[in-house]
Amino acid sequence: RVHAARDVVGPGHWPSAALDGTAAARRILGRPVAPTPPHYVWSDQFGLRLQVVGTPDPDAPFEIDGEAESFTVRYLGGEGHTTAALLANRPREAAELRRTLAAEALAWAA
């Protein structure tokens, strides 16, 4: 059997690669694998800390909050709940969204 992790598995950032390695090791050992947390990437560009939480759907409705130097774009799913977000200079909000979306993924997996 072959077990793979990022970059072989697909796109992502180093946190995804670390989790993929852990999941591959658990599969090799025959242990249960935790649900995959939402995707997360970031980059510092032109004085902005840009963070993406989840996988934005370009066709989904969205809400924008903030100004040019600090904003959040929330992509909305059914019933208006946030499925992904793009944030600029809002690290605390990004951390909260990561926790919220991860908790929702766990609830769906249960």
Side-chain angles (χ1 to χ4, degrees):
R1 292 180 52 173
V2 175
H3 298 273
R6 301 276 197 261
D7 295 325
V8 175
V9 174
H13 213 278
W14 67 264
S16 297
L19 292 171
D20 284 349
T22 300
R26 293 186 69 79
R27 282 191 295 276
I28 290 167
L29 295 170
R31 297 201 174 145
V33 177
T36 304
H39 291 284
Y40 172 69
V41 297
W42 79 90
S43 181
D44 293 325
Q45 299 290 327
F46 305 104
L48 296 174
R49 162 68 51 106
L50 300 171
Q51 296 173 283
V52 178
V53 179
T55 305
D57 176 355
D59 296 323
F62 59 89
E63 298 174 343
I64 302 174
D65 173 51
E67 305 295 327
E69 298 82 25
S70 175
F71 61 84
T72 300
V73 179
R74 291 176 178 265
Y75 294 86
L76 307 174
E79 300 179 17
H81 74 280
T82 300
T83 59
L86 165 65
L87 304 97
N89 292 334
R90 293 193 173 182
R92 289 183 186 164
E93 186 176 346
E96 180 60 34
L97 279 169
R98 287 179 72 192
R99 286 189 293 274
T100 299
L101 293 179
E104 289 174 3
L106 285 172
W108 279 97

